[in-house]
Amino acid sequence: MTRLAVCKENDVRSGRGLRVTLNGEDLVLFRADGKICAVANNCPHQHFAKLHDGLYENGIVTCPMHGWSFDVRTGASTNAGGRLKTFPAESVNGTVYVDLTQE
Ligand code: FES
């Protein structure tokens, strides 16, 4: 596992995503069930909408373009097809680390 520091845990607020770029990868960080979750920012539907602009509630982000929704903990769609790319993330001593080598 190659994890990289991406931000401070306090930067990730409840109820909204935090857009970050890590090694050129466009990501969004969310809080869900007290943990930090990292997902790809591009919606898997048509790959141009950005999920950091989407509605976020109770671990589910909804794409602002056509309303596809995804569980940020698993990447599973809750109302359509496709799967959101997820990355392992953890907070250690107030710093958030993301591993880009796994899905
Ligand atoms: S681009 Fe996200 S639902 Fe269509």
Side-chain angles (χ1 to χ4, degrees):
M1 176 172 164
T2 304
R3 63 182 194 175
L4 301 169
V6 65
C7 68
K8 294 295 180 192
E9 183 176 353
N10 289 342
D11 295 337
V12 186
R13 299 196 184 142
S14 297
R16 60 188 287 192
L18 175 68
R19 184 181 192 179
V20 295
T21 302
L22 186 61
N23 278 6
E25 193 83 37
D26 191 8
L27 305 174
V28 193
L29 306 178
F30 295 99
R31 285 184 182 273
D33 301 333
K35 295 183 177 179
I36 304 295
C37 298
V39 302
N41 198 11
N42 284 342
C43 177
H45 178 211
Q46 294 184 344
H47 303 281
F48 62 87
K50 300 295 185 183
L51 294 173
H52 75 275
D53 286 332
L55 180 69
Y56 179 67
E57 191 170 44
N58 298 325
I60 307 297
V61 63
T62 300
C63 180
M65 192 60 62
H66 309 107
W68 284 24
S69 296
F70 303 92
D71 188 321
V72 301
R73 295 159 287 206
T74 64
S77 174
T78 61
N79 66 353
R83 182 169 200 86
L84 185 60
K85 192 173 181 181
T86 61
F87 301 89
E90 64 179 340
S91 178
V92 178
N93 297 326
T95 299
V96 175
Y97 295 88
V98 174
D99 183 355
L100 295 176
T101 63
Q102 304 178 23
E103 288 183 41

Coordinates of all heavy atoms in Angstrom, one line a residue:
M1 N 0.9 -1.2 0.0 CA 0.0 0.0 0.0 C 0.9 1.2 0.0 O 1.8 1.4 0.8 CB -0.9 0.0 1.2 CG -1.8 1.2 1.4 SD -3.0 0.9 2.7 CE -3.5 2.6 3.0
T2 N 0.7 2.1 -1.0 CA 1.4 3.4 -1.0 C 0.4 4.5 -0.8 O -0.4 4.8 -1.6 CB 2.0 3.5 -2.4 OG1 2.9 2.4 -2.7 CG2 2.8 4.8 -2.5
R3 N 0.4 4.9 0.4 CA -0.6 6.0 0.7 C 0.1 7.3 0.7 O 1.3 7.5 1.1 CB -1.2 5.7 2.1 CG -0.3 5.7 3.2 CD -0.9 5.4 4.5 NE 0.0 5.8 5.6 CZ -0.3 5.7 6.9 NH1 -1.5 5.3 7.2 NH2 0.5 6.0 7.8
L4 N -0.6 8.3 0.3 CA -0.1 9.7 0.2 C -1.0 10.6 1.0 O -2.2 10.5 1.0 CB -0.1 10.1 -1.3 CG 0.7 9.3 -2.2 CD1 0.4 9.6 -3.7 CD2 2.2 9.4 -2.0
A5 N -0.3 11.6 1.7 CA -1.1 12.6 2.5 C -1.8 13.5 1.5 O -1.2 14.0 0.5 CB -0.1 13.4 3.4
V6 N -3.0 13.8 1.8 CA -3.8 14.7 0.8 C -4.3 15.9 1.5 O -4.5 16.9 0.8 CB -4.9 13.8 0.1 CG1 -5.9 13.3 1.1 CG2 -5.5 14.6 -1.0
C7 N -4.7 15.9 2.8 CA -5.2 17.1 3.4 C -5.3 16.8 4.9 O -5.0 15.7 5.4 CB -6.6 17.5 2.9 SG -7.9 16.3 3.2
K8 N -5.8 17.8 5.7 CA -6.1 17.6 7.1 C -7.5 17.1 7.2 O -8.4 17.4 6.4 CB -6.0 18.9 7.8 CG -4.5 19.5 7.9 CD -3.6 18.5 8.6 CE -2.2 19.0 8.7 NZ -1.3 18.0 9.2
E9 N -7.7 16.2 8.2 CA -9.0 15.6 8.4 C -10.1 16.7 8.6 O -11.2 16.6 8.1 CB -9.0 14.7 9.6 CG -10.4 14.0 9.8 CD -10.4 13.0 10.9 OE1 -9.3 12.7 11.4 OE2 -11.5 12.5 11.1
N10 N -9.7 17.8 9.3 CA -10.7 18.9 9.5 C -11.2 19.6 8.2 O -12.2 20.3 8.2 CB -10.2 19.9 10.5 CG -10.1 19.3 11.9 OD1 -10.7 18.3 12.2 ND2 -9.3 20.0 12.7
D11 N -10.4 19.4 7.1 CA -10.8 20.0 5.9 C -12.0 19.3 5.3 O -12.7 19.9 4.4 CB -9.6 19.9 4.9 CG -8.4 20.7 5.3 OD1 -8.6 21.7 6.1 OD2 -7.3 20.4 4.8
V12 N -12.2 18.1 5.7 CA -13.4 17.3 5.1 C -14.6 17.5 6.1 O -14.6 17.0 7.2 CB -13.0 15.8 5.0 CG1 -14.2 15.1 4.3 CG2 -11.7 15.6 4.3
R13 N -15.5 18.3 5.6 CA -16.7 18.6 6.4 C -17.8 17.6 6.2 O -17.9 17.0 5.1 CB -17.2 20.0 6.0 CG -16.1 21.0 6.3 CD -16.7 22.4 6.3 NE -15.7 23.4 6.4 CZ -15.7 24.6 5.8 NH1 -16.7 24.9 5.1 NH2 -14.7 25.4 6.0
S14 N -18.7 17.5 7.2 CA -19.9 16.7 7.0 C -20.8 17.3 6.0 O -21.0 18.5 6.0 CB -20.6 16.6 8.4 OG -19.7 15.9 9.3
G15 N -21.5 16.5 5.3 CA -22.5 17.0 4.4 C -22.1 17.5 3.1 O -22.9 18.0 2.3
R16 N -20.8 17.5 2.8 CA -20.3 18.0 1.5 C -19.0 17.3 1.1 O -18.2 16.9 2.0 CB -20.2 19.5 1.5 CG -19.2 20.0 2.5 CD -19.3 21.5 2.6 NE -18.6 22.1 1.4 CZ -18.3 23.4 1.3 NH1 -18.6 24.2 2.3 NH2 -17.8 23.9 0.2
G17 N -18.7 17.2 -0.1 CA -17.4 16.7 -0.6 C -16.3 17.7 -0.7 O -16.6 18.9 -0.9
L18 N -15.1 17.2 -0.5 CA -13.9 18.1 -0.7 C -13.2 17.6 -1.9 O -12.7 16.5 -1.9 CB -13.0 18.0 0.6 CG -11.7 18.8 0.4 CD1 -12.0 20.3 0.4 CD2 -10.8 18.4 1.6
R19 N -13.1 18.5 -2.9 CA -12.3 18.1 -4.1 C -10.9 18.3 -3.9 O -10.4 19.3 -3.4 CB -12.8 19.0 -5.3 CG -12.1 18.6 -6.6 CD -12.6 19.6 -7.7 NE -12.2 19.1 -9.0 CZ -12.5 19.7 -10.1 NH1 -13.2 20.8 -10.1 NH2 -12.1 19.1 -11.3
V20 N -10.1 17.2 -4.2 CA -8.6 17.3 -4.1 C -8.0 16.7 -5.4 O -8.7 15.9 -6.1 CB -8.1 16.5 -2.9 CG1 -8.6 17.2 -1.6 CG2 -8.5 15.1 -2.9
T21 N -6.8 17.0 -5.6 CA -6.0 16.4 -6.7 C -4.8 15.8 -6.1 O -4.1 16.4 -5.3 CB -5.6 17.5 -7.8 OG1 -6.7 18.1 -8.3 CG2 -4.8 16.8 -8.9
L22 N -4.6 14.5 -6.4 CA -3.5 13.7 -5.8 C -2.8 13.0 -7.0 O -3.4 12.2 -7.6 CB -4.0 12.8 -4.8 CG -3.0 12.0 -4.0 CD1 -2.1 12.9 -3.2 CD2 -3.7 11.0 -3.1
N23 N -1.6 13.4 -7.2 CA -0.8 12.8 -8.3 C -1.6 12.8 -9.7 O -1.6 11.9 -10.4 CB -0.4 11.3 -8.0 CG 0.8 11.2 -7.2 OD1 1.3 12.2 -6.7 ND2 1.3 10.0 -7.0
G24 N -2.3 13.9 -9.9 CA -3.0 14.1 -11.1 C -4.4 13.5 -11.1 O -5.1 13.7 -12.1
E25 N -4.7 12.8 -10.1 CA -6.1 12.1 -10.0 C -7.0 13.1 -9.3 O -6.8 13.6 -8.2 CB -5.9 10.9 -9.1 CG -7.1 9.9 -9.2 CD -7.1 9.0 -10.4 OE1 -6.0 8.5 -10.8 OE2 -8.2 8.7 -10.9
D26 N -8.2 13.3 -10.0 CA -9.2 14.2 -9.5 C -10.1 13.4 -8.5 O -10.8 12.4 -9.0 CB -10.0 14.7 -10.7 CG -11.0 15.9 -10.3 OD1 -11.0 16.3 -9.1 OD2 -11.8 16.2 -11.2
L27 N -10.1 13.7 -7.3 CA -10.8 12.9 -6.2 C -11.8 13.8 -5.4 O -11.6 15.0 -5.4 CB -9.8 12.3 -5.2 CG -8.6 11.5 -5.8 CD1 -7.7 11.2 -4.6 CD2 -9.2 10.3 -6.5
V28 N -12.7 13.1 -4.8 CA -13.5 13.8 -3.8 C -13.5 13.0 -2.5 O -13.6 11.8 -2.5 CB -15.0 13.9 -4.2 CG1 -15.7 14.9 -3.3 CG2 -15.1 14.3 -5.6
L29 N -13.3 13.7 -1.4 CA -13.3 13.1 -0.1 C -14.6 13.4 0.6 O -15.1 14.6 0.6 CB -12.2 13.6 0.8 CG -10.8 13.5 0.2 CD1 -9.8 14.1 1.1 CD2 -10.4 12.1 -0.2
F30 N -15.2 12.4 1.3 CA -16.5 12.6 2.0 C -16.3 12.0 3.4 O -15.5 11.1 3.6 CB -17.6 11.8 1.3 CG -18.0 12.3 0.0 CD1 -17.5 11.7 -1.2 CD2 -18.8 13.4 -0.2 CE1 -17.9 12.2 -2.4 CE2 -19.2 13.9 -1.4 CZ -18.7 13.2 -2.6
R31 N -17.1 12.4 4.3 CA -17.2 11.7 5.6 C -18.5 10.9 5.5 O -19.6 11.3 5.2 CB -17.4 12.7 6.7 CG -16.2 13.5 7.1 CD -16.5 14.4 8.3 NE -15.3 15.1 8.7 CZ -14.3 14.7 9.5 NH1 -14.5 13.5 10.0 NH2 -13.3 15.4 9.7
A32 N -18.3 9.6 5.9 CA -19.4 8.7 6.0 C -19.2 7.7 7.2 O -18.1 7.1 7.3 CB -19.6 7.9 4.7
D33 N -20.2 7.6 8.1 CA -20.1 6.8 9.2 C -18.8 7.1 10.0 O -18.2 6.2 10.6 CB -20.1 5.3 8.8 CG -21.3 4.9 8.1 OD1 -22.4 5.5 8.3 OD2 -21.3 4.0 7.3
G34 N -18.4 8.3 10.1 CA -17.3 8.7 10.9 C -15.9 8.5 10.3 O -14.9 8.8 10.8
K35 N -15.9 8.0 9.0 CA -14.7 7.7 8.3 C -14.6 8.6 7.1 O -15.6 9.1 6.6 CB -14.6 6.2 7.9 CG -14.6 5.3 9.1 CD -14.4 3.9 8.6 CE -14.3 2.9 9.7 NZ -14.2 1.5 9.3
I36 N -13.3 8.7 6.6 CA -13.1 9.4 5.4 C -13.2 8.5 4.2 O -12.5 7.4 4.2 CB -11.7 10.2 5.4 CG1 -11.6 11.1 6.6 CG2 -11.5 10.9 4.1 CD1 -12.6 12.2 6.6
C37 N -13.9 8.8 3.2 CA -14.0 8.0 2.0 C -13.5 8.8 0.8 O -13.8 10.0 0.7 CB -15.5 7.6 1.7 SG -16.2 6.6 3.0
A38 N -12.7 8.1 -0.1 CA -12.1 8.8 -1.3 C -12.7 8.1 -2.5 O -12.7 6.9 -2.6 CB -10.6 8.7 -1.3
V39 N -13.2 8.9 -3.4 CA -13.8 8.4 -4.7 C -13.3 9.3 -5.8 O -12.9 10.4 -5.6 CB -15.3 8.4 -4.6 CG1 -15.8 7.6 -3.5 CG2 -15.9 9.8 -4.6
A40 N -13.4 8.7 -7.0 CA -13.1 9.5 -8.2 C -14.1 10.6 -8.4 O -15.3 10.4 -8.1 CB -13.1 8.6 -9.5
N41 N -13.7 11.7 -8.9 CA -14.6 12.9 -9.0 C -15.5 12.8 -10.3 O -16.6 13.3 -10.3 CB -13.8 14.2 -9.0 CG -14.7 15.4 -8.7 OD1 -15.9 15.2 -8.3 ND2 -14.2 16.6 -9.0
N42 N -15.0 12.0 -11.3 CA -15.8 11.9 -12.5 C -17.0 10.9 -12.3 O -16.7 9.8 -11.9 CB -14.9 11.4 -13.7 CG -14.1 12.5 -14.2 OD1 -14.3 13.7 -14.0 ND2 -13.0 12.1 -14.9
C43 N -18.2 11.3 -12.7 CA -19.3 10.4 -12.6 C -19.1 9.3 -13.7 O -18.7 9.6 -14.8 CB -20.6 11.2 -12.9 SG -22.0 10.1 -13.0
P44 N -19.3 8.0 -13.3 CA -19.2 6.9 -14.3 C -20.2 6.8 -15.3 O -20.1 6.0 -16.3 CB -19.2 5.7 -13.4 CG -19.9 6.1 -12.2 CD -19.7 7.5 -12.0
H45 N -21.2 7.7 -15.3 CA -22.3 7.7 -16.3 C -21.7 8.2 -17.6 O -21.5 7.4 -18.6 CB -23.5 8.5 -15.9 CG -24.6 8.5 -16.9 ND1 -25.4 9.6 -17.1 CD2 -24.9 7.6 -17.9 CE1 -26.3 9.3 -18.1 NE2 -26.0 8.2 -18.6
Q46 N -21.4 9.5 -17.7 CA -20.9 10.0 -19.0 C -19.5 10.7 -18.8 O -19.0 11.3 -19.7 CB -21.9 11.0 -19.6 CG -23.2 10.4 -20.0 CD -24.2 11.3 -20.7 OE1 -24.0 12.5 -20.6 NE2 -25.1 10.7 -21.4
H47 N -19.0 10.5 -17.6 CA -17.6 10.8 -17.3 C -17.2 12.3 -17.5 O -16.0 12.6 -17.5 CB -16.6 10.0 -18.2 CG -16.9 8.5 -18.0 ND1 -16.4 7.8 -17.0 CD2 -17.6 7.6 -18.8 CE1 -16.7 6.5 -17.1 NE2 -17.5 6.4 -18.2
F48 N -18.2 13.2 -17.5 CA -17.8 14.6 -17.5 C -18.3 15.4 -16.3 O -17.8 16.4 -15.9 CB -18.2 15.3 -18.8 CG -19.7 15.3 -19.0 CD1 -20.5 16.3 -18.5 CD2 -20.3 14.3 -19.8 CE1 -21.9 16.3 -18.7 CE2 -21.7 14.2 -20.0 CZ -22.5 15.2 -19.5
A49 N -19.4 14.9 -15.7 CA -19.9 15.6 -14.5 C -19.0 15.3 -13.3 O -18.5 14.2 -13.2 CB -21.4 15.1 -14.3
K50 N -18.9 16.3 -12.5 CA -18.1 16.2 -11.3 C -18.9 16.0 -10.0 O -19.8 16.8 -9.7 CB -17.2 17.5 -11.2 CG -16.3 17.8 -12.4 CD -15.3 16.7 -12.5 CE -14.3 17.0 -13.6 NZ -13.3 15.9 -13.8
L51 N -18.6 15.0 -9.3 CA -19.4 14.6 -8.2 C -19.2 15.6 -7.0 O -20.1 15.6 -6.1 CB -19.1 13.2 -7.8 CG -19.6 12.2 -8.8 CD1 -19.1 10.8 -8.5 CD2 -21.1 12.2 -9.0
H52 N -18.2 16.3 -6.9 CA -18.0 17.3 -5.8 C -19.1 18.3 -5.8 O -19.4 19.0 -4.8 CB -16.6 17.9 -5.8 CG -16.4 19.0 -6.8 ND1 -16.0 18.7 -8.1 CD2 -16.6 20.3 -6.7 CE1 -15.9 19.8 -8.8 NE2 -16.3 20.8 -8.0
D53 N -19.7 18.5 -7.0 CA -20.9 19.5 -7.1 C -22.2 18.8 -6.8 O -23.2 19.5 -6.8 CB -20.9 20.0 -8.6 CG -19.9 21.0 -8.9 OD1 -19.4 21.7 -7.9 OD2 -19.5 21.1 -10.1
G54 N -22.2 17.5 -6.5 CA -23.4 16.8 -6.3 C -24.0 16.9 -4.9 O -23.3 17.4 -4.0
L55 N -25.2 16.5 -4.7 CA -25.9 16.5 -3.4 C -25.3 15.3 -2.6 O -25.1 14.2 -3.2 CB -27.4 16.3 -3.6 CG -28.2 16.3 -2.3 CD1 -28.2 17.6 -1.6 CD2 -29.6 15.8 -2.7
Y56 N -25.0 15.6 -1.4 CA -24.4 14.5 -0.5 C -25.2 14.4 0.8 O -25.3 15.4 1.5 CB -22.9 14.8 -0.2 CG -22.3 13.7 0.6 CD1 -22.2 12.4 0.1 CD2 -21.9 14.0 1.9 CE1 -21.6 11.4 0.9 CE2 -21.4 13.0 2.7 CZ -21.2 11.7 2.2 OH -20.7 10.7 3.0
E57 N -25.6 13.2 1.1 CA -26.4 12.9 2.3 C -26.3 11.5 2.7 O -26.5 10.6 1.9 CB -27.8 13.3 2.1 CG -28.7 13.4 3.3 CD -30.0 14.0 3.0 OE1 -30.6 13.7 2.0 OE2 -30.4 14.9 3.8
N58 N -25.9 11.3 4.0 CA -25.9 9.9 4.5 C -25.1 8.9 3.7 O -25.5 7.8 3.5 CB -27.3 9.4 4.7 CG -28.1 10.2 5.7 OD1 -27.6 10.8 6.7 ND2 -29.4 10.4 5.4
G59 N -23.9 9.3 3.2 CA -23.1 8.4 2.5 C -23.4 8.2 1.1 O -22.7 7.5 0.4
I60 N -24.4 9.0 0.6 CA -24.8 8.8 -0.8 C -24.6 10.2 -1.5 O -25.1 11.2 -1.1 CB -26.3 8.5 -1.0 CG1 -26.6 7.2 -0.1 CG2 -26.7 8.3 -2.4 CD1 -25.9 6.0 -0.5
V61 N -23.8 10.1 -2.7 CA -23.6 11.3 -3.5 C -24.5 11.2 -4.7 O -24.5 10.1 -5.3 CB -22.1 11.6 -3.8 CG1 -21.5 10.5 -4.6 CG2 -22.0 12.9 -4.5
T62 N -25.1 12.2 -5.1 CA -26.0 12.2 -6.3 C -25.4 13.2 -7.4 O -25.1 14.4 -7.1 CB -27.4 12.7 -6.0 OG1 -27.9 11.7 -5.0 CG2 -28.3 12.6 -7.2
C63 N -25.1 12.7 -8.5 CA -24.6 13.4 -9.6 C -25.5 14.6 -10.0 O -26.7 14.4 -10.2 CB -24.3 12.5 -10.8 SG -23.6 13.4 -12.2
P64 N -25.0 15.8 -10.2 CA -25.8 16.9 -10.5 C -26.3 16.9 -12.0 O -27.2 17.7 -12.3 CB -24.9 18.1 -10.3 CG -23.5 17.6 -10.5 CD -23.5 16.2 -10.0
M65 N -25.8 16.0 -12.8 CA -26.1 16.0 -14.2 C -27.4 15.3 -14.5 O -28.4 15.8 -15.0 CB -25.0 15.5 -15.1 CG -25.1 15.7 -16.5 SD -25.2 17.4 -17.0 CE -23.6 18.0 -16.5
H66 N -27.5 14.0 -14.1 CA -28.7 13.1 -14.4 C -29.2 12.4 -13.2 O -30.0 11.5 -13.3 CB -28.3 12.1 -15.5 CG -27.7 12.7 -16.7 ND1 -26.4 12.6 -17.1 CD2 -28.2 13.5 -17.7 CE1 -26.1 13.2 -18.2 NE2 -27.2 13.8 -18.6
G67 N -28.6 12.6 -12.1 CA -29.1 12.1 -10.8 C -28.7 10.7 -10.5 O -29.3 10.1 -9.5
W68 N -27.7 10.1 -11.1 CA -27.2 8.8 -10.7 C -26.6 9.0 -9.3 O -25.9 10.0 -9.0 CB -26.2 8.3 -11.6 CG -26.7 7.7 -12.9 CD1 -27.8 8.0 -13.5 CD2 -26.0 6.7 -13.7 NE1 -27.9 7.3 -14.7 CE2 -26.8 6.5 -14.8 CE3 -24.8 6.1 -13.6 CZ2 -26.5 5.6 -15.8 CZ3 -24.4 5.2 -14.6 CH2 -25.3 5.0 -15.7
S69 N -26.9 8.0 -8.4 CA -26.4 8.1 -7.0 C -25.5 7.0 -6.7 O -25.7 5.8 -7.2 CB -27.6 8.1 -6.0 OG -28.4 9.3 -6.2
F70 N -24.5 7.2 -5.8 CA -23.5 6.2 -5.4 C -23.3 6.3 -3.9 O -23.2 7.3 -3.3 CB -22.2 6.5 -6.2 CG -22.4 6.5 -7.7 CD1 -22.6 7.7 -8.3 CD2 -22.3 5.4 -8.4 CE1 -22.8 7.8 -9.7 CE2 -22.5 5.4 -9.8 CZ -22.8 6.6 -10.4
D71 N -23.0 5.1 -3.4 CA -22.6 5.0 -2.0 C -21.1 5.2 -2.0 O -20.4 4.4 -2.6 CB -23.0 3.6 -1.5 CG -22.7 3.5 0.0 OD1 -21.7 4.0 0.5 OD2 -23.5 2.8 0.7
V72 N -20.6 6.2 -1.3 CA -19.2 6.6 -1.4 C -18.4 5.6 -0.6 O -17.2 5.6 -0.7 CB -19.0 8.0 -0.9 CG1 -19.7 9.0 -1.7 CG2 -19.3 8.2 0.6
R73 N -19.0 4.7 0.3 CA -18.3 3.7 1.0 C -17.9 2.6 0.2 O -16.9 1.9 0.4 CB -19.1 3.3 2.2 CG -19.3 4.4 3.2 CD -20.5 4.2 4.1 NE -21.7 4.3 3.3 CZ -22.9 4.7 3.8 NH1 -23.0 4.8 5.1 NH2 -24.0 4.8 3.1
T74 N -18.7 2.3 -0.8 CA -18.5 1.1 -1.6 C -18.3 1.4 -3.1 O -17.8 0.5 -3.9 CB -19.7 0.1 -1.5 OG1 -20.8 0.7 -2.0 CG2 -19.9 -0.3 0.0
G75 N -18.8 2.5 -3.6 CA -18.8 2.8 -5.0 C -20.1 2.3 -5.7 O -20.3 2.6 -6.9
A76 N -20.9 1.5 -5.0 CA -22.1 0.9 -5.7 C -23.1 2.0 -6.0 O -23.3 2.9 -5.2 CB -22.7 -0.1 -4.7
S77 N -23.7 1.8 -7.2 CA -24.8 2.7 -7.5 C -26.1 2.3 -6.7 O -26.3 1.1 -6.5 CB -25.1 2.5 -9.0 OG -26.3 3.3 -9.3
T78 N -26.8 3.3 -6.3 CA -28.0 3.1 -5.6 C -29.3 3.2 -6.4 O -30.4 2.9 -6.0 CB -28.2 4.0 -4.4 OG1 -28.2 5.3 -4.8 CG2 -27.0 3.8 -3.4
N79 N -29.1 3.7 -7.7 CA -30.3 3.9 -8.5 C -30.1 3.7 -10.0 O -31.0 4.0 -10.8 CB -30.9 5.3 -8.2 CG -30.0 6.4 -8.7 OD1 -28.9 6.2 -9.1 ND2 -30.5 7.6 -8.6
A80 N -29.0 3.3 -10.4 CA -28.7 3.1 -11.8 C -27.6 2.1 -12.0 O -27.3 1.3 -11.1 CB -28.3 4.4 -12.4
G81 N -27.0 2.1 -13.1 CA -25.8 1.2 -13.4 C -24.5 1.9 -13.0 O -24.5 3.0 -12.5
G82 N -23.5 1.2 -13.4 CA -22.1 1.8 -13.2 C -21.7 1.6 -11.7 O -22.4 1.3 -10.8
R83 N -20.4 1.9 -11.6 CA -19.8 1.8 -10.3 C -18.8 2.9 -10.2 O -18.0 3.2 -11.1 CB -19.1 0.5 -10.1 CG -18.5 0.3 -8.8 CD -18.0 -1.2 -8.6 NE -17.9 -1.5 -7.2 CZ -18.9 -1.8 -6.4 NH1 -20.1 -2.0 -6.9 NH2 -18.6 -2.0 -5.1
L84 N -18.8 3.6 -9.1 CA -17.9 4.7 -8.8 C -16.6 4.1 -8.3 O -16.5 3.2 -7.4 CB -18.5 5.6 -7.7 CG -17.8 6.9 -7.4 CD1 -17.6 7.8 -8.6 CD2 -18.6 7.6 -6.3
K85 N -15.5 4.6 -8.8 CA -14.2 4.2 -8.4 C -13.9 4.7 -7.0 O -14.0 5.9 -6.7 CB -13.1 4.7 -9.4 CG -11.7 4.2 -9.3 CD -10.9 4.7 -10.5 CE -9.5 4.1 -10.4 NZ -8.7 4.6 -11.5
T86 N -13.4 3.8 -6.2 CA -13.1 4.2 -4.8 C -11.6 3.9 -4.5 O -11.0 3.1 -5.2 CB -14.0 3.4 -3.8 OG1 -13.7 2.0 -3.9 CG2 -15.4 3.6 -4.0
F87 N -11.1 4.6 -3.5 CA -9.7 4.4 -3.1 C -9.7 4.3 -1.6 O -10.4 5.0 -0.9 CB -8.9 5.7 -3.5 CG -8.9 5.9 -5.0 CD1 -9.9 6.7 -5.5 CD2 -8.0 5.4 -5.8 CE1 -9.9 7.0 -6.9 CE2 -8.0 5.6 -7.2 CZ -9.0 6.4 -7.7
P88 N -8.8 3.4 -1.1 CA -8.6 3.3 0.4 C -8.2 4.7 1.0 O -7.3 5.3 0.4 CB -7.6 2.2 0.5 CG -7.6 1.5 -0.7 CD -8.0 2.5 -1.8
A89 N -8.8 5.1 2.0 CA -8.4 6.3 2.7 C -8.5 6.1 4.2 O -9.3 5.3 4.7 CB -9.4 7.4 2.3
E90 N -7.6 6.8 4.9 CA -7.7 6.8 6.4 C -7.1 8.1 6.9 O -6.3 8.8 6.2 CB -6.9 5.6 6.9 CG -5.4 5.6 6.6 CD -4.7 4.4 7.2 OE1 -5.2 3.8 8.1 OE2 -3.6 4.1 6.7
S91 N -7.5 8.4 8.1 CA -7.0 9.5 8.8 C -6.1 9.0 9.9 O -6.4 8.2 10.8 CB -8.1 10.4 9.4 OG -7.6 11.4 10.1
V92 N -4.9 9.6 10.0 CA -3.9 9.2 11.0 C -3.4 10.5 11.6 O -2.8 11.4 10.9 CB -2.7 8.4 10.4 CG1 -1.7 8.1 11.5 CG2 -3.2 7.2 9.8
N93 N -3.6 10.7 12.9 CA -3.2 11.9 13.6 C -3.6 13.2 12.9 O -2.9 14.1 12.8 CB -1.7 11.9 13.8 CG -1.2 10.7 14.7 OD1 -1.9 10.3 15.6 ND2 -0.1 10.2 14.4
G94 N -4.8 13.2 12.4 CA -5.4 14.4 11.8 C -5.1 14.6 10.4 O -5.5 15.6 9.8
T95 N -4.3 13.7 9.8 CA -4.0 13.9 8.3 C -4.6 12.7 7.6 O -4.6 11.6 8.0 CB -2.4 13.8 8.1 OG1 -1.8 14.9 8.8 CG2 -2.0 13.9 6.7
V96 N -5.2 13.1 6.4 CA -5.9 12.1 5.6 C -4.9 11.6 4.5 O -4.2 12.3 3.9 CB -7.1 12.7 4.8 CG1 -7.7 11.7 3.9 CG2 -8.1 13.2 5.9
Y97 N -4.8 10.3 4.4 CA -4.0 9.6 3.5 C -4.9 8.8 2.5 O -5.9 8.2 2.9 CB -3.0 8.6 4.2 CG -2.0 9.3 5.1 CD1 -2.4 9.5 6.4 CD2 -0.8 9.6 4.6 CE1 -1.5 10.2 7.2 CE2 0.1 10.2 5.4 CZ -0.2 10.5 6.7 OH 0.7 11.1 7.6
V98 N -4.5 8.8 1.2 CA -5.2 8.0 0.2 C -4.3 7.1 -0.5 O -3.1 7.6 -0.8 CB -6.0 9.0 -0.8 CG1 -6.6 8.2 -1.9 CG2 -7.0 9.8 0.0
D99 N -4.7 5.9 -0.8 CA -3.9 5.0 -1.6 C -4.4 4.9 -3.0 O -5.5 4.4 -3.2 CB -4.0 3.6 -0.9 CG -3.1 2.6 -1.6 OD1 -2.5 2.9 -2.7 OD2 -3.0 1.4 -1.1
L100 N -3.7 5.4 -4.0 CA -4.1 5.4 -5.4 C -3.8 4.1 -6.1 O -4.2 3.9 -7.2 CB -3.4 6.5 -6.1 CG -3.8 8.0 -5.7 CD1 -3.0 9.0 -6.5 CD2 -5.3 8.2 -5.9
T101 N -3.1 3.2 -5.4 CA -2.7 2.0 -6.1 C -3.7 0.9 -6.1 O -3.6 -0.1 -6.8 CB -1.4 1.4 -5.5 OG1 -1.7 1.0 -4.1 CG2 -0.3 2.4 -5.6
Q102 N -4.8 1.1 -5.3 CA -5.9 0.1 -5.3 C -7.2 0.7 -5.6 O -7.4 1.9 -5.6 CB -6.0 -0.5 -3.8 CG -4.7 -1.1 -3.3 CD -4.9 -1.6 -1.9 OE1 -6.0 -1.9 -1.5 NE2 -3.8 -1.6 -1.2
E103 N -8.2 -0.2 -5.9 CA -9.6 0.3 -6.0 C -10.4 -0.4 -5.0 O -10.1 -1.5 -4.6 CB -10.1 0.0 -7.4 CG -9.5 0.9 -8.5 CD -10.1 0.6 -9.8 OE1 -11.3 0.4 -9.9 OE2 -9.3 0.6 -10.8
Ligands
FES1 S1 -23.1 12.3 -15.9 FE1 -23.6 11.7 -13.8 S2 -25.6 10.9 -13.9 FE2 -25.1 11.4 -16.0

